[in-house]
Amino acid sequence: CVAQIGELLNTLGYRKTFLVFDQGMRKAGIIDIVETSLRMANIDFVEFDKVQAEPPSEIIESGAALCRELEC
């Protein structure tokens, strides 16, 4: 279940994660549940919400660059 993602990542030893999603997931409330779970588990996170169907390479590259820059 999405609400348990923080607990699972904590069990696996993760302390930071990179969330990649589109605005549909935000509007559906899924991202709010994930964020709450991560906060409760003290997992830091970085968001990349520029996902779209068949994304151009620029979007993929910008997400990868952000992930590397913030050491996710």
Side-chain angles (χ1 to χ4, degrees):
C1 179
V2 174
Q4 296 172 330
I5 192 70
E7 182 182 335
L8 174 62
L9 291 176
N10 208 351
T11 299
L12 295 172
Y14 289 88
R15 297 292 171 248
K16 188 173 188 178
T17 191
F18 191 60
L19 300 179
V20 179
F21 59 92
D22 65 12
Q23 290 305 309
M25 291 182 69
R26 169 72 72 197
K27 289 177 186 173
I30 296 168
I31 300 305
D32 293 332
I33 296 167
V34 170
E35 290 173 341
T36 298
S37 178
L38 293 172
R39 284 186 188 106
M40 290 177 62
N42 294 313
I43 305 273
D44 291 331
F45 57 91
V46 175
E47 295 182 349
F48 184 76
D49 63 356
K50 296 174 178 36
V51 174
Q52 60 186 20
E54 303 298 324
S57 61
E58 293 83 16
I59 289 179
I60 296 168
E61 291 168 9
S62 69
L66 179 62
C67 188
R68 283 190 299 272
E69 175 186 335
L70 300 175
E71 299 178 354
C72 296

Short mmCIF file of all heavy atoms in Angstrom, two decimals:
data_model
loop_
_atom_site.label_atom_id
_atom_site.label_comp_id
_atom_site.label_asym_id
_atom_site.label_seq_id
_atom_site.Cartn_x
_atom_site.Cartn_y
_atom_site.Cartn_z
N CYS A 1 0.84 -1.18 0.00
CA CYS A 1 0.00 0.00 0.00
C CYS A 1 0.89 1.25 0.00
O CYS A 1 1.93 1.29 0.66
CB CYS A 1 -0.91 -0.04 1.21
SG CYS A 1 -2.00 1.36 1.36
N VAL A 2 0.46 2.25 -0.70
CA VAL A 2 1.22 3.49 -0.83
C VAL A 2 1.51 4.12 0.53
O VAL A 2 2.59 4.68 0.75
CB VAL A 2 0.44 4.49 -1.72
CG1 VAL A 2 1.12 5.84 -1.78
CG2 VAL A 2 0.29 3.93 -3.13
N ALA A 3 0.61 4.01 1.46
CA ALA A 3 0.78 4.61 2.78
C ALA A 3 1.91 3.98 3.58
O ALA A 3 2.34 4.54 4.59
CB ALA A 3 -0.53 4.53 3.56
N GLN A 4 2.44 2.86 3.14
CA GLN A 4 3.50 2.17 3.86
C GLN A 4 4.87 2.34 3.20
O GLN A 4 5.85 1.75 3.65
CB GLN A 4 3.17 0.69 3.97
CG GLN A 4 1.92 0.45 4.79
CD GLN A 4 1.48 -1.00 4.75
OE1 GLN A 4 1.70 -1.70 3.76
NE2 GLN A 4 0.86 -1.45 5.82
N ILE A 5 4.96 3.17 2.18
CA ILE A 5 6.21 3.31 1.45
C ILE A 5 7.35 3.83 2.32
O ILE A 5 8.48 3.38 2.22
CB ILE A 5 6.05 4.19 0.18
CG1 ILE A 5 7.26 4.10 -0.72
CG2 ILE A 5 5.73 5.63 0.53
CD1 ILE A 5 7.45 2.78 -1.41
N GLY A 6 7.06 4.77 3.22
CA GLY A 6 8.10 5.29 4.11
C GLY A 6 8.66 4.21 5.01
O GLY A 6 9.88 4.09 5.18
N GLU A 7 7.79 3.42 5.59
CA GLU A 7 8.22 2.33 6.46
C GLU A 7 9.08 1.32 5.69
O GLU A 7 10.11 0.87 6.18
CB GLU A 7 6.98 1.64 7.04
CG GLU A 7 7.29 0.52 7.99
CD GLU A 7 6.02 -0.16 8.51
OE1 GLU A 7 4.95 0.48 8.53
OE2 GLU A 7 6.12 -1.33 8.87
N LEU A 8 8.67 0.99 4.48
CA LEU A 8 9.42 0.04 3.67
C LEU A 8 10.81 0.59 3.33
O LEU A 8 11.81 -0.11 3.49
CB LEU A 8 8.66 -0.28 2.38
CG LEU A 8 9.38 -1.16 1.37
CD1 LEU A 8 9.68 -2.53 1.96
CD2 LEU A 8 8.57 -1.28 0.09
N LEU A 9 10.87 1.84 2.88
CA LEU A 9 12.16 2.43 2.55
C LEU A 9 13.07 2.51 3.77
O LEU A 9 14.28 2.28 3.68
CB LEU A 9 11.97 3.81 1.93
CG LEU A 9 11.35 3.82 0.53
CD1 LEU A 9 11.12 5.25 0.06
CD2 LEU A 9 12.19 3.06 -0.46
N ASN A 10 12.49 2.84 4.91
CA ASN A 10 13.25 2.90 6.16
C ASN A 10 13.83 1.53 6.49
O ASN A 10 15.00 1.40 6.85
CB ASN A 10 12.35 3.40 7.29
CG ASN A 10 13.11 4.11 8.36
OD1 ASN A 10 14.32 4.11 8.39
ND2 ASN A 10 12.39 4.73 9.26
N THR A 11 13.02 0.49 6.36
CA THR A 11 13.47 -0.88 6.62
C THR A 11 14.63 -1.27 5.71
O THR A 11 15.54 -1.98 6.12
CB THR A 11 12.30 -1.87 6.43
OG1 THR A 11 11.27 -1.53 7.35
CG2 THR A 11 12.72 -3.30 6.66
N LEU A 12 14.59 -0.77 4.48
CA LEU A 12 15.64 -1.09 3.51
C LEU A 12 16.87 -0.20 3.65
O LEU A 12 17.85 -0.36 2.93
CB LEU A 12 15.08 -0.98 2.09
CG LEU A 12 13.99 -2.00 1.74
CD1 LEU A 12 13.37 -1.68 0.39
CD2 LEU A 12 14.56 -3.41 1.74
N GLY A 13 16.81 0.75 4.59
CA GLY A 13 17.97 1.59 4.86
C GLY A 13 18.04 2.89 4.08
O GLY A 13 19.04 3.60 4.15
N TYR A 14 17.00 3.23 3.36
CA TYR A 14 17.00 4.47 2.59
C TYR A 14 16.75 5.65 3.52
O TYR A 14 15.95 5.57 4.45
CB TYR A 14 15.93 4.45 1.50
CG TYR A 14 16.28 3.52 0.36
CD1 TYR A 14 15.91 2.19 0.41
CD2 TYR A 14 16.98 3.99 -0.74
CE1 TYR A 14 16.23 1.33 -0.64
CE2 TYR A 14 17.31 3.14 -1.78
CZ TYR A 14 16.93 1.81 -1.72
OH TYR A 14 17.25 0.97 -2.75
N ARG A 15 17.41 6.77 3.22
CA ARG A 15 17.21 8.00 4.00
C ARG A 15 16.74 9.15 3.11
O ARG A 15 16.37 10.20 3.59
CB ARG A 15 18.51 8.40 4.70
CG ARG A 15 18.98 7.36 5.70
CD ARG A 15 18.02 7.28 6.89
NE ARG A 15 18.33 6.15 7.75
CZ ARG A 15 17.56 5.08 7.88
NH1 ARG A 15 16.42 5.00 7.23
NH2 ARG A 15 17.90 4.10 8.68
N LYS A 16 16.79 8.94 1.79
CA LYS A 16 16.38 9.98 0.84
C LYS A 16 15.88 9.29 -0.42
O LYS A 16 16.42 8.26 -0.83
CB LYS A 16 17.57 10.88 0.51
CG LYS A 16 17.24 12.10 -0.30
CD LYS A 16 18.46 13.00 -0.41
CE LYS A 16 18.13 14.31 -1.05
NZ LYS A 16 19.31 15.19 -1.11
N THR A 17 14.85 9.89 -1.04
CA THR A 17 14.31 9.31 -2.26
C THR A 17 13.95 10.40 -3.25
O THR A 17 13.79 11.57 -2.89
CB THR A 17 13.10 8.40 -1.96
OG1 THR A 17 12.77 7.67 -3.12
CG2 THR A 17 11.90 9.20 -1.49
N PHE A 18 13.81 10.02 -4.48
CA PHE A 18 13.50 10.92 -5.59
C PHE A 18 12.13 10.54 -6.12
O PHE A 18 11.97 9.45 -6.68
CB PHE A 18 14.58 10.77 -6.66
CG PHE A 18 14.54 11.81 -7.75
CD1 PHE A 18 14.69 13.15 -7.47
CD2 PHE A 18 14.40 11.43 -9.07
CE1 PHE A 18 14.68 14.10 -8.47
CE2 PHE A 18 14.39 12.36 -10.09
CZ PHE A 18 14.53 13.69 -9.80
N LEU A 19 11.14 11.39 -5.92
CA LEU A 19 9.77 11.11 -6.37
C LEU A 19 9.56 11.64 -7.78
O LEU A 19 9.76 12.83 -8.03
CB LEU A 19 8.74 11.76 -5.44
CG LEU A 19 8.75 11.36 -3.98
CD1 LEU A 19 7.68 12.15 -3.23
CD2 LEU A 19 8.51 9.88 -3.84
N VAL A 20 9.18 10.79 -8.68
CA VAL A 20 8.94 11.15 -10.07
C VAL A 20 7.47 10.86 -10.36
O VAL A 20 7.03 9.72 -10.23
CB VAL A 20 9.86 10.35 -11.02
CG1 VAL A 20 9.58 10.72 -12.46
CG2 VAL A 20 11.32 10.56 -10.66
N PHE A 21 6.72 11.90 -10.74
CA PHE A 21 5.29 11.72 -10.96
C PHE A 21 4.73 12.79 -11.87
O PHE A 21 5.38 13.79 -12.16
CB PHE A 21 4.54 11.73 -9.62
CG PHE A 21 4.72 13.00 -8.82
CD1 PHE A 21 3.83 14.04 -8.95
CD2 PHE A 21 5.78 13.13 -7.94
CE1 PHE A 21 3.98 15.21 -8.22
CE2 PHE A 21 5.95 14.29 -7.21
CZ PHE A 21 5.05 15.34 -7.35
N ASP A 22 3.49 12.56 -12.32
CA ASP A 22 2.80 13.56 -13.12
C ASP A 22 1.72 14.23 -12.28
O ASP A 22 1.44 13.82 -11.16
CB ASP A 22 2.22 12.95 -14.40
CG ASP A 22 1.13 11.93 -14.14
OD1 ASP A 22 0.63 11.83 -13.00
OD2 ASP A 22 0.76 11.23 -15.08
N GLN A 23 1.13 15.27 -12.81
CA GLN A 23 0.14 16.03 -12.06
C GLN A 23 -1.14 15.24 -11.80
O GLN A 23 -1.86 15.51 -10.84
CB GLN A 23 -0.18 17.34 -12.78
CG GLN A 23 0.97 18.33 -12.73
CD GLN A 23 1.42 18.61 -11.30
OE1 GLN A 23 0.62 18.93 -10.43
NE2 GLN A 23 2.71 18.46 -11.05
N GLY A 24 -1.41 14.23 -12.60
CA GLY A 24 -2.57 13.37 -12.36
C GLY A 24 -2.46 12.64 -11.03
O GLY A 24 -3.44 12.50 -10.30
N MET A 25 -1.25 12.20 -10.71
CA MET A 25 -1.04 11.52 -9.42
C MET A 25 -1.20 12.50 -8.26
O MET A 25 -1.71 12.14 -7.22
CB MET A 25 0.33 10.85 -9.39
CG MET A 25 0.43 9.67 -10.33
SD MET A 25 2.01 8.84 -10.26
CE MET A 25 1.92 8.11 -8.64
N ARG A 26 -0.76 13.74 -8.47
CA ARG A 26 -0.92 14.77 -7.43
C ARG A 26 -2.41 15.05 -7.22
O ARG A 26 -2.91 15.07 -6.10
CB ARG A 26 -0.18 16.04 -7.84
CG ARG A 26 -0.48 17.26 -7.00
CD ARG A 26 0.09 17.24 -5.62
NE ARG A 26 1.53 17.43 -5.66
CZ ARG A 26 2.32 17.14 -4.64
NH1 ARG A 26 1.84 16.68 -3.51
NH2 ARG A 26 3.62 17.31 -4.73
N LYS A 27 -3.14 15.24 -8.32
CA LYS A 27 -4.57 15.55 -8.23
C LYS A 27 -5.37 14.40 -7.62
O LYS A 27 -6.37 14.63 -6.95
CB LYS A 27 -5.11 15.89 -9.62
CG LYS A 27 -4.62 17.23 -10.13
CD LYS A 27 -5.11 17.51 -11.54
CE LYS A 27 -4.47 18.78 -12.06
NZ LYS A 27 -4.78 18.99 -13.47
N ALA A 28 -4.91 13.18 -7.84
CA ALA A 28 -5.61 12.01 -7.29
C ALA A 28 -5.33 11.82 -5.80
O ALA A 28 -5.96 10.99 -5.15
CB ALA A 28 -5.19 10.76 -8.06
N GLY A 29 -4.38 12.59 -5.26
CA GLY A 29 -4.07 12.50 -3.83
C GLY A 29 -3.02 11.47 -3.48
O GLY A 29 -2.66 11.33 -2.31
N ILE A 30 -2.52 10.76 -4.46
CA ILE A 30 -1.54 9.70 -4.20
C ILE A 30 -0.24 10.28 -3.66
O ILE A 30 0.34 9.74 -2.70
CB ILE A 30 -1.29 8.88 -5.48
CG1 ILE A 30 -2.58 8.16 -5.88
CG2 ILE A 30 -0.14 7.89 -5.28
CD1 ILE A 30 -2.54 7.56 -7.27
N ILE A 31 0.20 11.37 -4.21
CA ILE A 31 1.48 11.97 -3.78
C ILE A 31 1.38 12.48 -2.36
O ILE A 31 2.34 12.37 -1.58
CB ILE A 31 1.92 13.07 -4.76
CG1 ILE A 31 2.11 12.48 -6.17
CG2 ILE A 31 3.20 13.75 -4.29
CD1 ILE A 31 3.07 11.30 -6.24
N ASP A 32 0.24 13.02 -1.97
CA ASP A 32 0.06 13.48 -0.59
C ASP A 32 0.22 12.31 0.40
O ASP A 32 0.84 12.47 1.46
CB ASP A 32 -1.32 14.12 -0.40
CG ASP A 32 -1.46 15.41 -1.18
OD1 ASP A 32 -0.43 16.08 -1.42
OD2 ASP A 32 -2.59 15.76 -1.55
N ILE A 33 -0.30 11.17 0.03
CA ILE A 33 -0.18 9.98 0.89
C ILE A 33 1.27 9.54 0.98
O ILE A 33 1.79 9.23 2.06
CB ILE A 33 -1.07 8.83 0.36
CG1 ILE A 33 -2.54 9.23 0.44
CG2 ILE A 33 -0.81 7.53 1.12
CD1 ILE A 33 -3.47 8.30 -0.32
N VAL A 34 1.95 9.53 -0.15
CA VAL A 34 3.37 9.14 -0.19
C VAL A 34 4.19 10.11 0.66
O VAL A 34 5.03 9.70 1.47
CB VAL A 34 3.89 9.09 -1.63
CG1 VAL A 34 5.41 8.94 -1.67
CG2 VAL A 34 3.22 7.96 -2.40
N GLU A 35 3.98 11.42 0.48
CA GLU A 35 4.74 12.41 1.24
C GLU A 35 4.52 12.26 2.74
O GLU A 35 5.47 12.33 3.52
CB GLU A 35 4.33 13.82 0.81
CG GLU A 35 4.79 14.18 -0.58
CD GLU A 35 4.24 15.51 -1.05
OE1 GLU A 35 3.22 16.00 -0.50
OE2 GLU A 35 4.82 16.05 -1.98
N THR A 36 3.29 12.05 3.14
CA THR A 36 2.99 11.86 4.57
C THR A 36 3.73 10.64 5.11
O THR A 36 4.34 10.69 6.18
CB THR A 36 1.48 11.71 4.79
OG1 THR A 36 0.84 12.91 4.38
CG2 THR A 36 1.14 11.43 6.24
N SER A 37 3.70 9.55 4.37
CA SER A 37 4.38 8.33 4.78
C SER A 37 5.89 8.55 4.91
O SER A 37 6.52 8.12 5.87
CB SER A 37 4.09 7.20 3.79
OG SER A 37 4.77 6.03 4.14
N LEU A 38 6.46 9.27 3.94
CA LEU A 38 7.90 9.54 3.98
C LEU A 38 8.27 10.43 5.16
O LEU A 38 9.25 10.19 5.84
CB LEU A 38 8.35 10.18 2.66
CG LEU A 38 8.26 9.28 1.43
CD1 LEU A 38 8.54 10.09 0.17
CD2 LEU A 38 9.21 8.10 1.54
N ARG A 39 7.46 11.44 5.41
CA ARG A 39 7.73 12.33 6.55
C ARG A 39 7.66 11.57 7.87
O ARG A 39 8.50 11.76 8.75
CB ARG A 39 6.74 13.49 6.55
CG ARG A 39 7.04 14.54 5.52
CD ARG A 39 6.13 15.76 5.65
NE ARG A 39 6.32 16.64 4.53
CZ ARG A 39 5.47 16.80 3.52
NH1 ARG A 39 4.32 16.14 3.52
NH2 ARG A 39 5.74 17.61 2.54
N MET A 40 6.66 10.72 8.01
CA MET A 40 6.51 9.95 9.24
C MET A 40 7.69 9.02 9.47
O MET A 40 8.04 8.71 10.61
CB MET A 40 5.19 9.18 9.23
CG MET A 40 3.98 10.08 9.35
SD MET A 40 2.42 9.20 9.23
CE MET A 40 2.52 8.12 10.65
N ALA A 41 8.32 8.57 8.39
CA ALA A 41 9.47 7.66 8.48
C ALA A 41 10.80 8.43 8.48
O ALA A 41 11.86 7.81 8.45
CB ALA A 41 9.44 6.67 7.32
N ASN A 42 10.72 9.76 8.49
CA ASN A 42 11.92 10.61 8.45
C ASN A 42 12.79 10.35 7.22
O ASN A 42 14.02 10.29 7.31
CB ASN A 42 12.75 10.45 9.73
CG ASN A 42 12.01 10.97 10.94
OD1 ASN A 42 11.45 12.07 10.90
ND2 ASN A 42 11.98 10.20 12.00
N ILE A 43 12.13 10.17 6.09
CA ILE A 43 12.82 9.98 4.82
C ILE A 43 12.75 11.31 4.07
O ILE A 43 11.67 11.83 3.82
CB ILE A 43 12.15 8.88 3.96
CG1 ILE A 43 12.03 7.57 4.72
CG2 ILE A 43 12.84 8.75 2.62
CD1 ILE A 43 13.18 6.65 4.65
N ASP A 44 13.90 11.87 3.72
CA ASP A 44 13.93 13.08 2.91
C ASP A 44 13.52 12.72 1.49
O ASP A 44 13.76 11.60 1.03
CB ASP A 44 15.33 13.68 2.89
CG ASP A 44 15.74 14.26 4.23
OD1 ASP A 44 14.87 14.71 4.99
OD2 ASP A 44 16.95 14.26 4.50
N PHE A 45 12.94 13.69 0.79
CA PHE A 45 12.57 13.41 -0.59
C PHE A 45 12.69 14.67 -1.44
O PHE A 45 12.61 15.78 -0.96
CB PHE A 45 11.16 12.82 -0.70
CG PHE A 45 10.07 13.67 -0.11
CD1 PHE A 45 9.40 14.59 -0.88
CD2 PHE A 45 9.71 13.52 1.22
CE1 PHE A 45 8.38 15.36 -0.33
CE2 PHE A 45 8.70 14.27 1.78
CZ PHE A 45 8.03 15.20 1.00
N VAL A 46 12.90 14.44 -2.72
CA VAL A 46 12.96 15.48 -3.73
C VAL A 46 11.90 15.11 -4.75
O VAL A 46 11.73 13.94 -5.11
CB VAL A 46 14.35 15.52 -4.40
CG1 VAL A 46 14.38 16.51 -5.54
CG2 VAL A 46 15.42 15.83 -3.38
N GLU A 47 11.16 16.11 -5.23
CA GLU A 47 10.09 15.86 -6.20
C GLU A 47 10.48 16.32 -7.60
O GLU A 47 11.08 17.38 -7.77
CB GLU A 47 8.83 16.61 -5.78
CG GLU A 47 8.25 16.11 -4.50
CD GLU A 47 6.96 16.84 -4.14
OE1 GLU A 47 6.62 17.85 -4.77
OE2 GLU A 47 6.30 16.37 -3.20
N PHE A 48 10.10 15.52 -8.56
CA PHE A 48 10.21 15.87 -9.98
C PHE A 48 8.85 15.60 -10.59
O PHE A 48 8.46 14.45 -10.79
CB PHE A 48 11.31 15.04 -10.67
CG PHE A 48 11.54 15.45 -12.09
CD1 PHE A 48 12.24 16.61 -12.38
CD2 PHE A 48 11.05 14.69 -13.14
CE1 PHE A 48 12.46 17.00 -13.70
CE2 PHE A 48 11.25 15.07 -14.44
CZ PHE A 48 11.97 16.22 -14.74
N ASP A 49 8.09 16.67 -10.84
CA ASP A 49 6.70 16.52 -11.28
C ASP A 49 6.47 16.92 -12.73
O ASP A 49 5.36 17.25 -13.13
CB ASP A 49 5.77 17.31 -10.36
CG ASP A 49 6.03 18.80 -10.39
OD1 ASP A 49 6.99 19.24 -11.07
OD2 ASP A 49 5.28 19.54 -9.73
N LYS A 50 7.50 16.85 -13.54
CA LYS A 50 7.39 17.25 -14.94
C LYS A 50 7.14 16.08 -15.88
O LYS A 50 7.32 16.19 -17.09
CB LYS A 50 8.64 18.01 -15.35
CG LYS A 50 8.81 19.31 -14.58
CD LYS A 50 10.12 19.96 -14.90
CE LYS A 50 10.34 21.28 -14.22
NZ LYS A 50 9.86 21.45 -12.89
N VAL A 51 6.72 14.97 -15.35
CA VAL A 51 6.51 13.77 -16.14
C VAL A 51 5.30 13.95 -17.05
O VAL A 51 4.29 14.53 -16.67
CB VAL A 51 6.30 12.54 -15.22
CG1 VAL A 51 5.94 11.31 -16.03
CG2 VAL A 51 7.55 12.29 -14.41
N GLN A 52 5.43 13.46 -18.25
CA GLN A 52 4.33 13.48 -19.21
C GLN A 52 4.47 12.26 -20.12
O GLN A 52 5.52 11.64 -20.16
CB GLN A 52 4.37 14.77 -20.04
CG GLN A 52 5.64 14.94 -20.83
CD GLN A 52 5.73 16.30 -21.51
OE1 GLN A 52 5.06 17.24 -21.13
NE2 GLN A 52 6.56 16.41 -22.52
N ALA A 53 3.41 11.94 -20.82
CA ALA A 53 3.46 10.81 -21.74
C ALA A 53 4.47 11.11 -22.85
O ALA A 53 4.52 12.22 -23.36
CB ALA A 53 2.08 10.57 -22.35
N GLU A 54 5.28 10.12 -23.18
CA GLU A 54 6.31 10.27 -24.21
C GLU A 54 7.11 11.55 -24.01
O GLU A 54 7.16 12.43 -24.86
CB GLU A 54 5.66 10.26 -25.61
CG GLU A 54 4.85 9.03 -25.92
CD GLU A 54 5.67 7.74 -25.91
OE1 GLU A 54 6.85 7.77 -26.31
OE2 GLU A 54 5.13 6.72 -25.47
N PRO A 55 7.78 11.68 -22.86
CA PRO A 55 8.49 12.93 -22.56
C PRO A 55 9.67 13.15 -23.51
O PRO A 55 10.35 12.19 -23.89
CB PRO A 55 8.98 12.72 -21.13
CG PRO A 55 9.10 11.25 -21.00
CD PRO A 55 7.99 10.68 -21.83
N PRO A 56 9.90 14.40 -23.87
CA PRO A 56 11.09 14.67 -24.68
C PRO A 56 12.35 14.42 -23.86
O PRO A 56 12.31 14.44 -22.62
CB PRO A 56 10.95 16.17 -25.04
CG PRO A 56 9.96 16.72 -24.09
CD PRO A 56 9.12 15.58 -23.60
N SER A 57 13.43 14.20 -24.53
CA SER A 57 14.68 13.88 -23.83
C SER A 57 15.11 14.98 -22.87
O SER A 57 15.75 14.69 -21.85
CB SER A 57 15.80 13.58 -24.83
OG SER A 57 16.05 14.71 -25.65
N GLU A 58 14.74 16.22 -23.12
CA GLU A 58 15.10 17.32 -22.24
C GLU A 58 14.51 17.14 -20.84
O GLU A 58 15.15 17.44 -19.84
CB GLU A 58 14.65 18.67 -22.81
CG GLU A 58 15.37 19.08 -24.07
CD GLU A 58 14.78 18.44 -25.33
OE1 GLU A 58 13.64 17.92 -25.30
OE2 GLU A 58 15.49 18.46 -26.35
N ILE A 59 13.28 16.65 -20.77
CA ILE A 59 12.64 16.43 -19.47
C ILE A 59 13.34 15.29 -18.73
O ILE A 59 13.62 15.40 -17.54
CB ILE A 59 11.13 16.15 -19.62
CG1 ILE A 59 10.42 17.44 -20.05
CG2 ILE A 59 10.54 15.60 -18.33
CD1 ILE A 59 8.94 17.30 -20.26
N ILE A 60 13.64 14.23 -19.44
CA ILE A 60 14.34 13.10 -18.83
C ILE A 60 15.71 13.54 -18.32
O ILE A 60 16.10 13.25 -17.19
CB ILE A 60 14.47 11.94 -19.83
CG1 ILE A 60 13.08 11.41 -20.19
CG2 ILE A 60 15.36 10.84 -19.27
CD1 ILE A 60 13.05 10.49 -21.37
N GLU A 61 16.42 14.29 -19.14
CA GLU A 61 17.75 14.76 -18.75
C GLU A 61 17.69 15.72 -17.57
O GLU A 61 18.55 15.66 -16.68
CB GLU A 61 18.43 15.41 -19.95
CG GLU A 61 18.80 14.42 -21.03
CD GLU A 61 19.22 15.06 -22.34
OE1 GLU A 61 19.39 16.30 -22.38
OE2 GLU A 61 19.36 14.33 -23.31
N SER A 62 16.67 16.58 -17.52
CA SER A 62 16.59 17.52 -16.40
C SER A 62 16.27 16.79 -15.09
O SER A 62 16.78 17.14 -14.03
CB SER A 62 15.56 18.62 -16.67
OG SER A 62 14.24 18.13 -16.68
N GLY A 63 15.44 15.75 -15.16
CA GLY A 63 15.16 14.95 -13.97
C GLY A 63 16.39 14.22 -13.48
O GLY A 63 16.69 14.19 -12.28
N ALA A 64 17.14 13.64 -14.40
CA ALA A 64 18.36 12.93 -14.03
C ALA A 64 19.40 13.88 -13.45
O ALA A 64 20.06 13.56 -12.46
CB ALA A 64 18.92 12.20 -15.25
N ALA A 65 19.50 15.06 -14.02
CA ALA A 65 20.46 16.05 -13.52
C ALA A 65 20.08 16.49 -12.09
O ALA A 65 20.96 16.63 -11.23
CB ALA A 65 20.51 17.27 -14.45
N LEU A 66 18.80 16.71 -11.85
CA LEU A 66 18.35 17.10 -10.52
C LEU A 66 18.66 16.00 -9.51
O LEU A 66 19.14 16.27 -8.41
CB LEU A 66 16.85 17.40 -10.54
CG LEU A 66 16.22 17.79 -9.21
CD1 LEU A 66 16.84 19.08 -8.67
CD2 LEU A 66 14.71 17.94 -9.37
N CYS A 67 18.40 14.78 -9.88
CA CYS A 67 18.67 13.65 -9.00
C CYS A 67 20.16 13.57 -8.66
O CYS A 67 20.53 13.39 -7.50
CB CYS A 67 18.19 12.36 -9.65
SG CYS A 67 18.24 10.92 -8.59
N ARG A 68 21.00 13.72 -9.65
CA ARG A 68 22.45 13.69 -9.40
C ARG A 68 22.89 14.87 -8.53
O ARG A 68 23.66 14.71 -7.59
CB ARG A 68 23.22 13.71 -10.72
CG ARG A 68 23.24 12.40 -11.47
CD ARG A 68 24.21 12.43 -12.62
NE ARG A 68 23.88 13.45 -13.61
CZ ARG A 68 23.06 13.28 -14.64
NH1 ARG A 68 22.47 12.11 -14.83
NH2 ARG A 68 22.83 14.26 -15.50
N GLU A 69 22.38 16.06 -8.85
CA GLU A 69 22.76 17.28 -8.13
C GLU A 69 22.42 17.17 -6.64
O GLU A 69 23.20 17.57 -5.79
CB GLU A 69 22.05 18.48 -8.74
CG GLU A 69 22.27 19.78 -8.01
CD GLU A 69 21.42 20.91 -8.58
OE1 GLU A 69 21.03 20.85 -9.77
OE2 GLU A 69 21.13 21.84 -7.82
N LEU A 70 21.26 16.62 -6.34
CA LEU A 70 20.80 16.53 -4.95
C LEU A 70 21.15 15.20 -4.29
O LEU A 70 20.72 14.92 -3.18
CB LEU A 70 19.29 16.81 -4.89
CG LEU A 70 18.90 18.19 -5.40
CD1 LEU A 70 17.38 18.34 -5.42
CD2 LEU A 70 19.53 19.28 -4.55
N GLU A 71 21.91 14.37 -5.01
CA GLU A 71 22.39 13.09 -4.51
C GLU A 71 21.26 12.19 -4.00
O GLU A 71 21.30 11.69 -2.88
CB GLU A 71 23.45 13.31 -3.43
CG GLU A 71 24.66 14.04 -3.95
CD GLU A 71 25.71 14.31 -2.89
OE1 GLU A 71 25.48 14.03 -1.70
OE2 GLU A 71 26.79 14.78 -3.27
N CYS A 72 20.29 12.01 -4.86
CA CYS A 72 19.15 11.16 -4.51
C CYS A 72 19.46 9.70 -4.82
O CYS A 72 20.21 9.39 -5.67
CB CYS A 72 17.92 11.56 -5.30
SG CYS A 72 17.38 13.23 -4.89
#
